[in-house]
């Protein structure tokens, strides 16, 4: 599937949190804080399970976790959103080579798309803060489909919007829920681990695992090192 060999890959669909921006570490803190604020508890493992978990799975998971039949997901989530805004007040940190890989792929004629568990308002706001809003040909958000990750809906919708087959795309993810979503949509899925490494079961769903974006780019698209953009945005 190397683009340098057969030109099969025409688009790369990137996850946002944990893949392009270093925000999963804050979600990891924010969910337990939110649960505890309303009198519930959450372990580290349970917090990790929330990565990219979308509707209707997140409300169901937290309600079951709370043991409360009257659990108010909207209230807990709103508190978590506020905590995230506080964490990100001083800037959103890009993952290494995030800006460069988007620039280089587009220079090669590869379509760049975003497939995120965020809604469009927050995704676009984050991207504008880090100067990458214009780096995407298509932005696909969980709010645009019936079911979020790990269901395949988001990635199925993404390839439809791009007018491509799943085999003509790569999906780049950092979390188990994201990997399951992309792979169940039959898209060759790259994992660049963030907070956890893939276990054996998850590896069976993956096309490749790479340590970072630069290694992925060099292995699949170009033998040379990734080239820097003239202006690479830092934390905003």
């Amino acid at each position: 599937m190397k683009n340098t060999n057969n030109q099969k890959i025409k688009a790369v669909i990137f996850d946002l949190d944990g893949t392009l921006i270093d925000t999963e570490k804050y979600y990891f803190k924010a969910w337990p804080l939110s649960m505890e604020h309303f009198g519930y508890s959450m372990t580290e493992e349970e917090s990790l399970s929330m990565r990219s978990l979308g509707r209707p799975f997140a409300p169901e998971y937290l309600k079951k976790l709370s043991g409360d039949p009257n659990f108010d997901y909207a209230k807990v989530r709103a508190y978590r959103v506020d905590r995230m805004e506080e964490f990100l007040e001083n800037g959103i940190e890009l993952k290494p080579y995030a800006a460069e890989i988007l620039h280089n792929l587009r220079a090669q004629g590869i379509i760049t798309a975003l497939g995120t568990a965020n809604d469009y308002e927050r995704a676009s706001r984050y991207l504008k803060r880090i100067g990458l809003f214009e780096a995407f040909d298509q932005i696909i958000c969980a709010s645009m489909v019936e079911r979020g990750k790990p269901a395949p809906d988001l990635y199925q919708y993404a390839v439809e919007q791009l007018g491509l087959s799943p085999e003509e795309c790569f999906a780049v993810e950092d979390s188990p829920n994201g990997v399951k979503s992309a792979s169940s949509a039959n898209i060759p899925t790259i994992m660049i681990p963030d907070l956890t490494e893939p276990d054996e079961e998850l590896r069976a769903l993956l096309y490749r695992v790479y340590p970072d974006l630069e290694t992925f780019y060099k292995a699949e698209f170009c033998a040379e090192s990734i080239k820097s953009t003239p202006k690479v945005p830092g934390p905003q």
Side-chain angles (χ1 to χ4, degrees):
M1 293 185 184
K2 276 201 176 187
N3 185 64
T4 49
N5 291 338
N6 58 27
Q7 301 295 312
K8 185 173 184 180
I9 299 300
K10 297 179 180 178
V12 181
I13 308 168
F14 292 91
D15 171 57
L16 182 59
D17 293 288
T19 300
L20 294 176
I21 57 177
D22 194 13
T23 46
E24 284 289 13
K25 60 189 178 186
Y26 298 123
Y27 283 104
F28 178 66
K29 296 178 182 178
W31 276 117
L33 286 173
S34 303
M35 291 291 281
E36 289 166 13
H37 179 77
F38 291 98
Y40 309 110
S41 62
M42 175 180 272
T43 66
E44 290 186 357
E45 184 177 353
E46 290 163 347
S47 182
L48 287 171
S49 297
M50 291 297 296
R51 287 173 294 168
S52 293
L53 193 65
R55 297 173 295 109
F57 311 105
E60 293 171 355
Y61 177 73
L62 290 184
K63 183 176 182 179
K64 183 178 179 180
L65 188 64
S66 73
D68 182 358
N70 299 312
F71 180 77
D72 191 336
Y73 172 76
K75 187 181 294 185
V76 174
R77 182 179 179 277
Y79 189 87
R80 190 271 294 164
V81 169
D82 289 342
R83 301 293 73 71
M84 283 297 295
E85 291 300 317
E86 291 174 357
F87 288 142
L88 300 178
E89 278 180 353
N90 294 325
I92 300 173
E93 185 180 355
L94 288 174
K95 284 288 192 175
Y97 310 106
E100 292 91 338
I101 193 172
L102 294 169
H103 172 83
N104 279 262
L105 288 173
R106 294 184 95 184
Q108 287 185 246
I110 305 295
I111 295 168
T112 55
L114 189 72
T116 177
N118 286 297
D119 57 45
Y120 184 82
E121 185 279 328
R122 186 160 58 255
S124 59
R125 178 159 49 87
Y126 284 1
L127 291 174
K128 288 173 182 176
R129 284 180 66 183
I130 58 177
L132 292 182
F133 182 76
E134 301 296 335
F136 292 95
D137 299 292
Q138 195 82 35
I139 296 175
I140 305 298
C141 301
S143 53
M144 299 175 180
V145 295
E146 183 178 352
R147 299 177 300 167
K149 301 174 184 181
D153 302 31
L154 184 147
Y155 279 102
Q156 289 173 339
Y157 183 66
V159 294
E160 289 173 8
Q161 293 300 299
L162 294 173
L164 299 172
S165 67
E167 295 79 15
E168 293 176 305
C169 304
F170 274 145
V172 185
E173 284 279 356
D174 73 289
S175 71
N177 287 318
V179 167
K180 291 173 184 176
S181 176
S183 64
S184 61
N186 298 315
I187 299 174
T189 306
I190 307 294
M191 185 176 186
I192 300 177
D194 181 29
L195 299 182
T196 57
E197 295 291 328
D199 58 20
E200 187 175 341
E201 180 181 356
L202 199 64
R203 281 182 179 273
L205 304 178
L206 292 165
Y207 172 73
R208 292 281 189 275
V209 180
Y210 292 112
D212 53 48
L213 292 167
E214 182 183 32
T215 306
F216 159 55
Y217 175 77
K218 288 170 63 178
E220 301 297 339
F221 294 99
C222 182
E224 300 176 0
S225 296
I226 199 166
K227 296 179 181 178
S228 297
T229 56
K231 234 178 136 180
V232 179
Q236 301 291 318

